[in-house]
Structures are given as structure tokens and as C-alpha cells.
Amino acid sequence: DRATNPAVNTFLNYLPKARASATPDQFAVDSWTAGELLLQAMTNAGSTISPTSVLSALSKVTDFNADGLIGTTHPGVKGGTTCVVMANVQNEQWVRVHPTGTGFDCSGTYHNVPLSSLNS
């Protein structure tokens, strides 16, 4: 989605500048978006930056999508995303299948399954 999503383009432009050998995979996206979220929390924390002020500001971030790089999440309430993009490999290339065009399909439901329930 580089051609249609400015956040993807920014990420792909700056990743090799941060680390020349970096691969633009899910781990890199997760790291990039974590930095974006930290920056937003620090910006919203006010003039006195402390762990307490940053955590307080972070708890008030209700919708976060790293400028459209990821589907909207809800970190302030520890909620994940309901958004997906479906793709398929055609001729050795990833091809977007759904939703067509741009963006994410956010019509699903987020299920928070406690780890304790997985041990039974």
C-alpha cells in the first residue's frame, strides 16, 4: 500500500536509514508503531515528562493507528484491533484482496482471551 498510504511510505523510507539491514516485516512495524505511540504519549504528557506523566497520558489514548500504518487500536483501555487486511500471493507478489482499494476492514469484534483460560 506504499503508493496509497503515506504512513507506509514514510515507514519504508526511514526503516533503512535507521538500520540498513532491517527487513520491513511485522517486527519492524511493531517497533515503529510502539515508538509512534510513545511519542504521542510523551507529547501529551505536558511540560514535565516522567514515567507517571507518560503512563497517565498513555491511558488516555483511546484510538491509535500510527497515522494509518496499522488498524486502529485502543491502548488506553488495553484493547486490540478489529481491523484486518486480507492479501494473497499472485505471481510471487502480495496482492490486496479485501478491502479493495485502501484502508482496513474494521467490522469485526475484538476478543480478549485471558492467558489463564488457555492453560485449562
Side-chain angles (χ1 to χ4, degrees):
D1 290 350
R2 184 179 205 159
T4 58
N5 185 328
V8 172
N9 191 52
T10 300
F11 167 71
L12 292 173
N13 279 336
Y14 281 96
L15 182 64
K17 294 177 184 179
R19 184 171 179 150
S21 63
T23 302
D25 56 16
Q26 189 62 47
F27 298 108
V29 171
D30 289 346
S31 299
W32 181 273
T33 57
E36 290 277 333
L37 182 57
L38 177 61
L39 176 62
Q40 183 175 335
M42 291 179 74
T43 300
N44 294 342
S47 59
T48 304
I49 302 294
S50 69
T52 302
S53 68
V54 172
L55 286 173
S56 176
L58 183 59
S59 72
K60 296 176 182 129
V61 178
T62 56
D63 294 320
F64 175 77
N65 66 12
D67 295 322
L69 183 60
I70 61 171
T72 300
T73 62
H74 313 284
V77 294
K78 300 179 183 176
T81 185
T82 62
C83 304
V84 297
V85 171
M86 294 179 202
N88 195 354
V89 177
Q90 296 175 6
N91 299 322
E92 299 181 13
Q93 296 287 321
W94 286 105
V95 176
R96 176 187 278 268
V97 176
H98 176 80
T100 58
T102 62
F104 299 88
D105 177 348
C106 300
S107 62
T109 302
Y110 177 75
H111 297 280
N112 187 6
V113 178
L115 289 177
S116 59
S117 69
L118 300 176
N119 294 330
S120 20

